Amino acid sequence: MNIKFQEITIKNFKGVLGERIIRFNPEMTQILGANHTGKTTIMDATQWLLFGKNSDGATNFGIDPKDEKGNIIHHLENEVSIDLKRDGSALTLTKIRTETWTKPRQKNEEVMSGHTVSYFVNGDKYTETDYKLYIAGMISEGLFRTITNPMYFPSLKPDDQRILLIKMVGETSPEQIAGDNEDFK
């Protein structure tokens, strides 16, 4: 399967207040910058959209934008959307997290009671289960992390490295390695 990112749109996610759009070069895109300029935010947004985790593999991490005092800015939707080509066909994946507010009895003010997450493929709403199955049918989390994070592969156990390498390039039999070389036979 051939997957090429075209563009990512990040809205109200971690250090991105408002909207940031990154267009990818069809050949290669390098994300470079000084500390605290958003490199990890881009990777976290991508991982969150695809696998519900950040770039370190954590499922529980802060995605809410904060003000200059470090307080969460409420009443904002967190949204990440990626336009990509999958085997030449256009595809848009979108994930939106919305705060849920309720007004308890005998109280004057609403309180945040949680979040709702919505999943979309080409604008069609999916359940969380169906969305996860759709993504898993495209690419595994381990393979994605291997090809997008240079620190991931060396952190794996040797057996897990071998499994991923075989998934990427296939397995070669001892007979294929020996070929016509009589010394190897």
Side-chain angles (χ1 to χ4, degrees):
M1 181 171 303
N2 186 339
I3 298 172
K4 289 190 176 186
F5 285 7
Q6 307 290 303
E7 179 177 289
I8 184 170
T9 303
I10 303 169
K11 294 180 186 174
N12 303 318
F13 188 93
K14 291 181 64 173
V16 176
L17 185 57
E19 179 179 275
R20 179 179 295 166
I21 298 173
I22 296 141
R23 291 177 182 86
F24 294 93
N25 180 298
E27 298 304 316
M28 179 175 66
T29 300
Q30 293 181 350
I31 299 174
L32 307 168
N35 290 339
H36 304 289
T37 57
K39 300 179 303 293
T40 302
T41 296
I42 295 165
M43 196 63 202
D44 286 349
T46 305
Q47 293 281 346
W48 179 74
L49 171 68
L50 297 175
F51 308 109
K53 300 176 181 177
N54 69 3
S55 53
D56 291 328
T59 56
N60 189 9
F61 66 104
I63 67 171
D64 294 304
K66 295 179 180 168
D67 64 19
E68 55 281 342
K69 294 180 181 177
N71 299 312
I72 292 174
I73 303 170
H74 291 287
H75 302 286
L76 298 174
E77 285 186 338
N78 315 110
E79 181 177 336
V80 178
S81 182
I82 290 182
D83 295 325
L84 56 90
K85 294 269 184 172
R86 177 183 174 189
D87 293 330
S89 297
L91 178 66
T92 301
L93 304 171
T94 305
K95 187 172 180 179
I96 302 169
R97 187 182 82 154
T98 307
E99 294 177 337
T100 304
W101 291 82
T102 57
K103 186 177 175 191
R105 293 181 194 188
Q106 311 296 324
K107 299 282 182 172
N108 291 333
E109 293 186 28
E110 289 186 319
V111 295
M112 192 180 82
S113 56
H115 293 93
T116 303
V117 181
S118 301
Y119 306 85
F120 300 89
V121 177
N122 286 337
D124 295 328
K125 191 167 185 176
Y126 276 55
T127 65
E128 179 180 9
T129 300
D130 289 341
Y131 183 82
K132 286 179 178 181
L133 287 171
Y134 188 89
I135 298 300
M138 272 193 344
I139 190 165
S140 72
E141 180 182 355
L143 180 57
F144 183 82
R145 290 183 72 190
T146 298
I147 60 178
T148 60
N149 181 350
M151 302 307 292
Y152 180 70
F153 186 77
S155 74
L156 297 174
K157 297 176 184 171
D159 287 344
D160 293 334
Q161 289 178 348
R162 178 176 165 66
I163 289 168
L164 273 175
L165 286 173
I166 289 170
K167 279 184 181 179
M168 288 190 280
V169 298
E171 191 161 15
T172 304
S173 70
E175 291 79 17
Q176 290 171 309
I177 294 170
D180 294 333
N181 188 327
E182 291 299 320
D183 292 338
F184 288 151
K185 290 182 180 179

